[in-house]
Amino acid sequence: MPAGHHSEHDIQAYHDERPSITRLILEARWTHYRLVDALEHDPDSTVVPTLRRDQLLHTGALCDVLALRTQAPDLYEAARDHGALLRELDGLDLDDHPRNGLDHLRAQYARLHHHPSGDARRTPHTTNDPPPSQSPGHLSGPRLVRQMLDTYAWANLGRTPCFPTVDVDSEQRQHLITRGLLLDWAATSAPTGNAAATAAANTGHALRALDRRTALSDLRARAYLRDAFRDLDDQDEDDDPHPLDCAGHCDGTGEVLTVLTWEHHGDGIYTPVHQEPILCFRTPTTHAPDCATCEGHGFTYTPGYRELCLDGRTSDRESAAATSASQGA
């Protein structure tokens, strides 16, 4: 494969623009931050729908290009889901064609960069796809992207007086680690991608500087990123793996794919618009009736949307134990 030519450039929309992974990350994290900031400070603002669309477009493009490089199926599914939501926001029917959302995502990305003829078709010099590249650590590709975006948003929001409890240093460090891992993964999946490798090394150097460590070579700086991520993993790692027939229906992964956001269409009609993996409790879950966030309803509401409340989640075992204790009192 010629230097500078990667699998994403076989797609016409990306071939015309040749976006770097670094630029895609910058665009995705900025649009995500602006949306989170608006939802936290002024969820009724008229700019929220526009910001939500920008976030879907740029995060979807990042997932799509990462999927094209790494051939990771979960990133492909995430990109397709973002495209489907984008298509719905644009007032188009998804129909039953599974590629419609992805095609729409790519076409909108091309038009954003003034390539109105850009679409999802492949250019004539398509090469064979590389074998799938495994995500670093135990996090799935979409979860790694999501964590990278969230930590950037909260590292910045935490600097304002409105969020005094946010540990800015921790969020900033986690952002450097997850961003560096994504860059390192992209570089490893496309060995000729010198720009991604350099960006990953620079992120590793920045992490070592934050940790007050001496400078290392680029390769060792990238290795330091991977070691830091493993240490971060170890803090949350489940020493007792979930069985394949886990009662929480995670199939042994420790995570369950759950709808988090619904759009309200009036008359009590809600349609799901966003889902992602959340922690599996090993059993079916209930919601604590004394939850301070949602007052036990299990949901929070913003204009036009309903969000699943995760703060009061509890397992059936804990709920049953609490009920027994109250009855015996």
Side-chain angles (χ1 to χ4, degrees):
M1 184 179 292
H5 176 72
H6 307 300
S7 55
E8 68 264 27
H9 301 145
D10 293 337
I11 305 299
Q12 185 67 49
Y14 302 126
H15 179 271
D16 291 335
E17 188 63 20
R18 288 186 172 270
S20 68
I21 297 294
T22 300
R23 193 188 80 184
L24 287 164
I25 287 176
L26 290 173
E27 292 170 342
R29 74 181 191 180
W30 176 244
T31 53
H32 183 79
Y33 161 69
R34 291 184 66 207
L35 177 61
V36 172
D37 181 58
L39 291 175
E40 290 293 335
H41 289 102
D42 188 9
D44 298 331
S45 172
T46 56
V47 303
V48 167
T50 300
L51 295 177
R52 194 181 295 275
R53 186 185 189 280
D54 290 344
Q55 191 263 352
L56 283 172
L57 176 59
H58 287 291
T59 303
L62 173 60
C63 288
D64 189 26
V65 170
L66 284 170
L68 288 165
R69 281 210 186 189
T70 65
Q71 298 301 304
D74 53 359
L75 282 168
Y76 169 80
E77 293 296 329
R80 193 179 69 179
D81 289 347
H82 278 74
L85 293 175
L86 184 67
R87 187 178 174 87
E88 185 176 340
L89 278 180
D90 289 344
L92 301 174
D93 292 329
L94 184 60
D95 297 324
D96 294 326
H97 199 298
R99 288 187 58 85
N100 279 352
L102 198 55
D103 288 349
H104 185 66
L105 172 71
R106 292 170 178 174
Q108 293 305 305
Y109 179 89
R111 292 191 179 98
L112 178 68
H113 294 93
H114 309 293
H115 303 298
S117 61
D119 55 27
R121 63 186 173 87
R122 289 184 174 268
T123 57
H125 52 272
T126 300
T127 56
N128 293 330
D129 290 333
S133 175
Q134 188 174 5
S135 172
H138 80 281
L139 289 183
S140 66
R143 280 294 299 277
L144 190 59
V145 170
R146 179 76 182 198
Q147 188 169 333
M148 184 272 297
L149 298 176
D150 279 342
T151 50
Y152 176 79
W154 287 105
N156 285 276
L157 288 173
R159 293 186 174 93
T160 67
C162 298
F163 304 98
T165 60
V166 174
D167 187 342
V168 173
D169 291 340
S170 175
E171 297 290 340
Q172 183 182 8
R173 188 174 188 275
Q174 288 187 55
H175 174 68
L176 280 174
I177 293 172
T178 50
R179 175 161 60 94
L181 258 291
L182 285 172
L183 290 164
D184 186 65
W185 189 18
T188 302
S189 302
T192 58
N194 296 328
T198 300
N202 289 340
T203 307
H205 293 312
L207 179 64
R208 286 189 66 83
L210 186 69
D211 291 345
R212 293 183 171 83
R213 302 291 185 91
T214 56
L216 296 174
S217 67
D218 285 357
L219 287 177
R220 293 182 66 188
R222 288 171 63 182
Y224 184 76
L225 275 172
R226 294 189 289 269
D227 289 341
F229 186 72
R230 279 192 289 270
D231 290 342
L232 201 62
D233 268 356
D234 289 343
Q235 297 174 15
D236 303 318
E237 188 175 3
D238 192 348
D239 294 330
D240 185 13
H242 292 227
L244 293 177
D245 60 348
C246 175
H249 305 294
C250 70
D251 298 324
T253 64
E255 297 175 336
V256 286
L257 191 63
T258 305
V259 176
L260 298 183
T261 306
W262 294 260
E263 185 176 6
H264 189 208
H265 298 277
D267 297 327
I269 300 173
Y270 291 89
T271 58
V273 295
H274 176 69
Q275 65 179 358
E276 65 180 70
I278 62 174
L279 184 68
C280 174
F281 278 4
R282 297 178 181 271
T283 67
T285 58
T286 56
H287 206 85
D290 58 349
C291 175
T293 302
C294 68
E295 299 180 350
H297 298 298
F299 302 97
T300 59
Y301 296 86
T302 57
Y305 292 91
R306 182 178 76 181
E307 309 282 341
L308 183 68
C309 176
L310 300 179
D311 294 342
R313 290 176 68 226
T314 182
S315 70
D316 276 351
R317 293 197 198 107
E318 293 172 342
S319 179
T323 302
S324 299
S326 63
Q327 289 175 347

